Amino acid sequence: MIPHKNNNSRPSWLSSSSSSGCGWLFLLLATSCCSTMKHAVVSAQSDLNLARDDTSPEVSKSILQSVYSATGGLNWNDATGWNEENVCTWKGVSCYTKTSNGDERRHGHIRSLDWSANRLVGTLPTKVFQLPYLEALTVEDNPDLDVDLSGIGSAQFLKQLTLSKTAVTNLDAVGAAKSLEDLHVSDLKLAGPLPSSLFQLTNLKRLNANYNSFTGPLPAEVGQLTNLEELLLFDSDLTGQLPGELGRLTLLKILTLTDNAFDGSLPLDALEQMTNLRTLSIQRIGTHDADFKGSGITGPLPALKNHKFLTKIQFENQRLSGSLDDDFLQTSPTGQAIEVDLRNNELEGRVPPSLLDKQFLSLYLGGNKITTVPPRIYDTSSGTCPQISDWMGGDVREFGCDAFLCPPGTWAPQGRLMSYDETCESCG
């Protein structure tokens, strides 16, 4: 953890008049008359053209100085180097080198800013988006910092924006960041419908928007984000039927919609089309019915038979019914750890024998109506299960076959044994 104000001597450029901007104007005037004349001409143009056309390091320096002043720089946890002439040595600032990008014009310009957990307060000025080649901005874990996104369209090269755990309350302008690939807006206490601006970010690869209070459905417009690889909307209050347009997200690797209030049935065709998935999590969290959000998702579970990379499935505490298909997870990895959590649904029938080739499977079925376990998996008559000894994270080898699933007609708190002290008791 960085000690508070460990390196915060007052920057030499921060004069008593700096709050009005006069100190920085003097600095610019003293640096280069020619540069000042150039800036005067450019100032007549739009801010967007200034950001794209100006190549003077002094403009970037003045922008950073305005950030320092507006966000309580004297009280930052760490402002190491902010007395130095070269901004590339300043805490949180990274610049392009000759080898970091093929565009020689970028050499020496600011590439990324990372002021995470640095006690910034107030409002981050929108002029930060005028840095001509900025690719990444990270200000997470500054709970008293707002960010003015109104000028984000000027940041034509911005790929990563991390605003989680700040005081940001509005994302309406973020859709103007057309190059954005990675957006983190978790734990912002955002409420209301998912902002339509999110679905304008067609180059987006990762959207992490956990721990908010979004309401209403997941819009069909989510299907516009066809480059998306990760969609995380954990712990909000989203409702309604999941849209079939999810099927357009064929590059998606992680879909986490955990602990929302969705209802209706699963979009089976859409989920079958998302064959690049590694993680599929749409469970509800809680221990009692009163803890769960919404009425739960009903209907059958997809077979997911063509998902060669899928290793984590979580649907516990929904209201899924029917039986597991015989080709359930048919092509998923055989030599990797696979977690399938289907506890506390209304599934019935048998455990598919085809799952035997999943050597390190953890299949949680407690709280369902499973009536048959094939003898090849668990021969209840002899109490043997030699082919699944590595299942359930090794619990089967440790505690016996009932560590997979209590036999029909018996029960345990988790539907299986998890210690030497437990037994599967008769339901009668």
Side-chain angles (χ1 to χ4, degrees), residues 255 266-282 300-315 320 324-333 338-340 342 355 358:
L255 177 60
L266 291 173
L268 300 181
D269 290 343
L271 293 176
E272 294 290 8
Q273 292 169 30
M274 300 165 71
T275 56
N276 209 37
L277 282 173
R278 275 72 169 165
T279 296
L280 175 58
S281 300
I282 316 180
L301 185 71
L304 305 171
K305 60 184 178 181
N306 296 313
H307 292 58
K308 298 180 180 180
F309 311 105
L310 190 56
T311 57
K312 178 177 284 190
I313 303 171
Q314 297 173 311
F315 282 105
L320 299 174
L324 297 178
D325 284 36
D326 285 342
D327 52 3
F328 181 61
L329 297 182
Q330 186 175 51
T331 61
S332 63
I338 297 177
E339 176 187 335
V340 181
L342 303 174
L355 291 175
K358 316 303 178 190

Side-chain angles (χ1 to χ4, degrees), residues 124-390:
L124 191 75
T126 190
K127 64 173 60 179
V128 73
F129 298 116
Q130 296 176 8
L131 293 170
Y133 300 111
L134 184 66
E135 288 188 0
L137 173 63
T138 300
V139 292
E140 66 180 329
D141 285 318
N142 289 288
D144 297 313
L145 178 72
D146 196 1
V147 179
D148 184 353
L149 298 174
S150 62
I152 197 170
S154 298
Q156 59 178 326
F157 299 107
L158 187 67
K159 295 181 179 179
Q160 177 182 331
L161 179 62
T162 304
L163 306 175
S164 299
K165 296 183 180 180
T166 63
V168 171
T169 59
N170 191 311
L171 299 177
D172 289 347
V174 76
K178 299 302 184 183
S179 296
L180 205 60
E181 296 180 358
D182 200 337
L183 177 61
H184 294 259
V185 288
S186 289
D187 207 357
L188 296 182
K189 300 180 177 63
L190 298 173
L194 284 164
S196 59
S197 56
L198 294 176
F199 308 114
Q200 299 170 19
L201 300 171
T202 54
N203 286 308
L204 204 62
K205 294 182 179 179
R206 286 166 291 276
L207 174 57
N208 190 325
N210 298 323
Y211 305 109
N212 285 292
S213 299
F214 294 122
T215 57
L218 180 63
E221 286 77 9
V222 70
Q224 298 170 184
L225 305 181
T226 54
N227 288 301
L228 209 59
E229 297 178 5
E230 299 179 13
L231 175 58
L232 295 93
L233 289 166
F234 185 104
D235 193 8
S236 245
D237 297 304
L238 296 170
T239 58
Q241 169 80 39
L242 291 172
E245 285 77 5
L246 282 170
R248 298 183 61 192
L249 309 184
T250 56
L251 299 181
L252 202 66
K253 298 178 181 179
I254 298 176
L255 177 60
T256 299
L257 304 176
T258 298
D259 212 20
N260 281 280
F262 297 115
D263 54 32
S265 58
L266 291 173
L268 300 181
D269 290 343
L271 293 176
E272 294 290 8
Q273 292 169 30
M274 300 165 71
T275 56
N276 209 37
L277 282 173
R278 275 72 169 165
T279 296
L280 175 58
S281 300
I282 316 180
Q283 74 270 49
R284 294 189 295 170
I285 303 297
T287 55
H288 305 285
D289 287 346
D291 299 332
F292 302 138
K293 296 180 180 179
S295 58
I297 298 174
T298 60
L301 185 71
L304 305 171
K305 60 184 178 181
N306 296 313
H307 292 58
K308 298 180 180 180
F309 311 105
L310 190 56
T311 57
K312 178 177 284 190
I313 303 171
Q314 297 173 311
F315 282 105
E316 66 265 33
N317 301 318
Q318 298 290 355
R319 295 172 55 206
L320 299 174
S321 59
S323 59
L324 297 178
D325 284 36
D326 285 342
D327 52 3
F328 181 61
L329 297 182
Q330 186 175 51
T331 61
S332 63
T334 59
Q336 299 181 33
I338 297 177
E339 176 187 335
V340 181
D341 198 336
L342 303 174
R343 288 173 294 171
N344 302 321
N345 280 279
E346 300 172 12
L347 298 169
E348 56 189 14
R350 69 170 185 166
V351 177
S354 59
L355 291 175
L356 269 175
D357 70 343
K358 316 303 178 190
Q359 182 179 356
F360 302 106
L361 177 65
S362 293
L363 176 60
Y364 301 98
L365 291 169
N368 285 282
K369 303 174 183 178
I370 301 298
T371 56
T372 304
V373 179
R376 292 172 56 201
I377 293 179
Y378 179 9
D379 188 345
T380 56
S381 63
S382 63
T384 58
C385 52
Q387 297 192 63
I388 65 168
S389 59
D390 291 319

Side-chain angles (χ1 to χ4, degrees), residues 368 406-412 424-428:
N368 285 282
C406 287
T410 65
W411 75 280
C424 291
E425 304 288 345
S426 172
C427 295

